[in-house]
Amino acid sequence: MRITVFRRLMADEFGPGRAEVLARDHVLSGLGGRTVEQALAAGVPAKEIWREVCQAFDVPAERR
């Protein structure tokens, strides 16, 4: 998954403003205690990050 696709999914699911805040500030244990931005910077694949976000925020299966 491309990062641009990931960012679009985040914005579609949470709204553009909230998606940015979540990516910057919310620490996910499934990403090793990192935020989305930290995980992306560390080279974690966007698809793996999206899976963790979906799990953490109970995104319905049809939108995963």
Side-chain angles (χ1 to χ4, degrees), residues 40-56:
L40 287 170
V44 177
K47 188 172 187 174
E48 182 178 327
I49 296 170
W50 179 242
R51 275 189 244 134
E52 291 299 329
V53 169
C54 289
Q55 182 176 344

Side-chain angles (χ1 to χ4, degrees), residues 1-20 23 36-37 40 46 50 53-54 59 63-64:
M1 171 186 298
R2 293 181 179 266
I3 292 174
T4 54
V5 172
F6 169 77
R7 294 213 186 270
R8 187 182 76 237
L9 289 170
M10 288 283 290
D12 289 348
E13 186 62 34
F14 302 108
R18 184 166 183 230
E20 287 182 34
V36 165
E37 295 298 339
L40 287 170
W50 179 242
V53 169
C54 289
V59 174
R63 293 197 307 263
R64 290 183 181 207

